[in-house]
Structures are given as C-alpha cells and as structure tokens.
C-alpha cells in the first residue's frame, strides 16, 4: 500500500510538472504571436487560467486568459500599464504551437492604467501628486464649504480628487483639485478642474487670479495610446491611485482571416 501511495504521489507530481511545462510553452507561443499580431513593442505577459492546462488544451477551449504589459512608454507617458482579460478563448493546441495560430475570443476587456507619476509630469511646478476617487458625500461637502452648487450634478464615477503640492504666492502649499474626467472622441483623457482650494480649506482662500492660473495648469489632456484587441475606450475612472481607461469587445478573432469585432461599454 505504501508503494502504491508513493507511486500515485509521484505520478501526480509528474503530471503537474508536465501540465505546468505545457502551459508555459503555450503561454510563450501566444505571447510571441500577440506581439506580432497586435504590433506590441515587446512580448506581453500571458497567463492561461484554470486548474489544468492540458484538460483545456484537449478541447481547445480556455475559459480565461490574462494578458498584461507594464511600464510602457506612450508619447510623454513613461509608466503605462495595459491589461486584457479574455473570456472563452477557442484555440486548438496545435494552432497555439504553430507559427500562425488563430484565436477566437467570445469577449474581452481592455484596461489602460496611467499612474500619478505620469500625470505629474504634465503639471509644471507641482512636486507631489496623489490621485483619489470621490463619492457623492465628498462632493456635497465641497459644495457646503463654498463650492459651486452645480458640482452636485458631477457623477462621482467620472471625477477625481487631485491632491498636489505646488507653489502658491511664493510658498509651497498643498491644494485639492476636484476634477471631471472625460474620454474624448479620439480616445484621449481630459482632466478638467471644477474646484480648487487649499487642502482642508475653502476656495475663497485663494485669490481669483491664483484659482484661474491653477485651473489652466491643471487642465490636462493625455494620450494613452490605444486599448488592446481593438477595444473602444468607453469608461474612465480612478482606481487605486491611477486613472483607468477601459472598454469591452465581443466576438474577436486574432490570426488569419480576422474579422471586425463589436464593441460595447
């Protein structure tokens, strides 16, 4: 019985190693092909999810595949992160390991994250910057502290609070900038200040000339490049201190005979 148990354990271990090695080989092949097909600057990180790769490979159906790239340089941006979550991927193992694989993807979500460091580079005179999300209560508090009453119409999902350290009146000061977030028609990120005040203070503490100058300085347009897999950007929000652009696409084919896909918000 002991020998049988040892043999089973060894067999399971061998199968796990084989499964891991096969998954690694397939992920490497997919990574190389995606770099070529999507004109990426380097091989992306590819992870085929699931308990057993070989079981999925036997049918050619993969429930979930993650693709990611970090620290991409796009124009003036130096720390862009790109992620894609692929759902229900159809790709026979032979195609994956061939030189010209073809992938059929039921649905995909593309995400681009822009860090505070990249936004900071567009703000002359600003030495520190933190990006935070806001909720309806926070907006109401800003209005009650002297903010424009029309701020109540601002959707918190399309807003961000920028806490910045800059020079005001010859002195270094921390200010808070409530900003509206928007995706332009050509996929760029627009940041529009709606309220500027000293951190923890009232907007009236800043002279109009200073507020106007800061408003111009904090009005920013960023070009993050395109989302992967022909995804059309439809949402812009804050997420863990970054600006995150996302969108979804259905019925996508990568490889020979590619056809157009359908995007959705």
């Amino acid at each position: 019985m002991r020998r049988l148990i040892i043999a089973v354990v060894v067999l399971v271990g061998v199968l796990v190693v084989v499964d891991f090695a096969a998954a690694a080989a397939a992920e490497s092949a997919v990574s190389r092909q995606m770099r070529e097909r999507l004109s990426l600057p380097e091989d992306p990180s590819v992870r085929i999810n699931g308990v057993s790769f070989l079981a999925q490979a036997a049918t050619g159906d993969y429930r979930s595949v993650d693709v990611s790239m970090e620290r991409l340089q796009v124009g003036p941006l130096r720390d862009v992160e790109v992620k894609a979550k692929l759902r229900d991927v159809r790709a026979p193992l032979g195609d994956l390991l061939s030189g010209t694989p073809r992938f059929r993807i039921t649905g995909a979500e593309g995400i681009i994250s822009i860090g505070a460091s990249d936004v900071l580079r567009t703000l002359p005179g600003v030495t520190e910057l933190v990006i935070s999300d806001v909720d309806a209560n926070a907006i109401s508090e800003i209005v009650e502290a002297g903010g424009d009453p029309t701020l109540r119409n601002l959707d918190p999902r399309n807003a961000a609070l920028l806490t910045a350290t800059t020079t005001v009146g010859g002195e270094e000061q921390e200010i808070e900038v409530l900003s509206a977030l928007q995706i332009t028609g050509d996929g760029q990120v627009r940041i529009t200040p709606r309220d500027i005040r000293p951190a923890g203070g009232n907007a009236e503490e800043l002279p109009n000339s200073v507020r106007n100058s800061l408003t111009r300085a904090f009005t920013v347009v960023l070009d993050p490049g395109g989302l992967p897999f022909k995804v059309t950007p439809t949402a812009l929000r804050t997420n863990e201190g970054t600006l995150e652009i996302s969108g979804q696409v259905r019925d996508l084919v990568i490889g020979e005979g590619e056809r157009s896909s359908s995007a959705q918000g």
Side-chain angles (χ1 to χ4, degrees), residues 94-168:
D95 287 354
L96 283 181
L97 300 179
S98 70
T100 56
R102 176 184 172 93
F103 314 95
R104 182 178 296 276
I105 303 167
T106 300
E109 178 183 11
I111 300 172
I112 289 179
S113 297
I114 303 173
S117 60
D118 273 332
V119 180
L120 178 62
R121 291 188 183 94
T122 68
L123 302 172
V126 177
T127 56
E128 296 181 20
L129 181 70
V130 176
I131 300 174
S132 307
D133 57 356
V134 295
D135 55 22
N137 290 334
I139 294 176
S140 294
E141 290 176 359
I142 291 174
V143 173
E144 293 169 1
D148 187 341
T150 61
L151 289 175
R152 296 187 188 275
N153 299 324
L154 182 62
D155 189 340
R157 294 172 297 181
N158 300 323
L161 182 66
L162 308 182
T163 303
T165 301
T166 187
T167 301
V168 178

Side-chain angles (χ1 to χ4, degrees), residues 74 138 162 191:
V74 181
L162 308 182
I191 304 173

Side-chain angles (χ1 to χ4, degrees), residues 37-101:
R37 298 291 181 182
L38 302 177
S39 300
L40 301 174
E42 60 184 54
D43 291 350
S45 171
V46 176
R47 178 178 177 83
I48 300 175
N49 302 310
V51 176
S52 172
F53 167 77
L54 292 176
Q56 296 181 85
T59 62
D61 294 317
Y62 305 85
R63 178 172 295 181
S64 171
V65 178
D66 295 335
V67 181
S68 64
M69 296 186 68
E70 298 179 350
R71 296 180 295 278
L72 288 181
Q73 296 187 12
V74 181
L77 307 181
R78 294 292 179 269
D79 193 20
V80 176
E81 181 179 3
V82 179
K83 294 181 180 179
K85 297 182 180 296
L86 315 181
R87 301 184 302 276
D88 298 326
V89 179
R90 175 65 180 172
L93 181 59
D95 287 354
L96 283 181
L97 300 179
S98 70
T100 56

Side-chain angles (χ1 to χ4, degrees), residues 102-105 230 251-259:
R102 176 184 172 93
F103 314 95
R104 182 178 296 276
I105 303 167
K230 304 178 182 179
D251 301 328
L252 177 69
V253 175
I254 300 176
E256 295 183 359
E258 295 181 9
R259 61 182 176 81

Side-chain angles (χ1 to χ4, degrees), residues 232 234-235 247-248 263-265:
T232 301
T234 56
Q248 297 182 356
Q264 64 178 10

